[in-house]
Amino acid sequence: MKKSVNQAINLLKICTVLLSHEGGKNHDGTGFFVAHGLIITCAHVCQKFQSYKAYATWNNRDYCVKVRKCSDDLEKYDLALLELTDKEIKHPYLPLEERVNIGDELYTFGYPGNQINGDVGTYEVIGFDGNNLLKFKEG
């Protein structure tokens, strides 16, 4: 099991992008590839992308992205889908699971506070609240 956990975390790391605006100078958040040319992130991350050019940094290169779909209701769905403007870029991706179950382990990797090397976290699903949002054991 340990080997598969490390493999999952490594795949997550190589599928993760740093998102920014204004020529890649400002760090806005993190996203990851979920299909060819598509990146999922939080809607609050892409709010600035409506007024500025948006970039995804992956493999030490900046790529232009455009907002394909961004939730208006951050209270209910803080999700956004971004699309690479260059369709020729070859990259790995993480397909999303349709369902999360109690006891599942979830892994995160991102760039909080402009951490260049990123940060990893692991969480165990312990249930759902009244709004069907995930509840986690300490992580």
Side-chain angles (χ1 to χ4, degrees), residues 17-103:
V17 300
L18 187 136
L19 298 169
S20 59
H21 69 283
E22 292 183 350
K25 296 175 189 148
N26 296 314
H27 171 225
D28 293 311
T30 303
F32 61 93
F33 291 113
V34 293
H36 181 73
L38 298 177
I39 298 167
I40 198 162
T41 188
C42 294
H44 71 266
V45 170
C46 74
Q47 288 177 333
K48 292 179 184 171
F49 298 168
Q50 307 301 332
S51 304
Y52 300 97
K53 272 192 165 184
Y55 297 87
T57 303
W58 179 70
N59 271 355
N60 298 314
R61 291 196 52 206
D62 292 333
Y63 299 96
C64 286
V65 294
K66 63 181 179 180
V67 177
R68 189 162 172 186
K69 183 75 174 164
C70 187
S71 173
D72 293 329
D73 186 355
L74 299 185
E75 296 279 324
K76 193 169 184 181
Y77 302 107
D78 189 10
L79 287 174
L81 186 64
L82 308 177
E83 185 174 13
L84 291 172
T85 57
D86 183 350
K87 304 287 191 248
E88 301 303 315
I89 299 166
K90 303 282 189 235
H91 60 79
Y93 61 87
L94 289 168
L96 296 177
E97 294 288 331
E98 288 186 34
R99 179 184 304 267
V100 175
N101 298 303
I102 293 173

Side-chain angles (χ1 to χ4, degrees), residues 91-137:
H91 60 79
Y93 61 87
L94 289 168
L96 296 177
E97 294 288 331
E98 288 186 34
R99 179 184 304 267
V100 175
N101 298 303
I102 293 173
D104 283 353
E105 283 189 326
L106 304 180
Y107 307 97
T108 63
F109 181 80
Y111 300 99
N114 282 335
Q115 289 187 15
I116 295 171
N117 296 321
D119 192 24
V120 67
T122 59
Y123 303 89
E124 181 182 339
V125 177
I126 60 169
F128 303 88
D129 71 6
N131 295 318
N132 207 28
L133 298 174
L134 296 172
K135 290 173 68 175
F136 298 103
K137 191 176 189 177

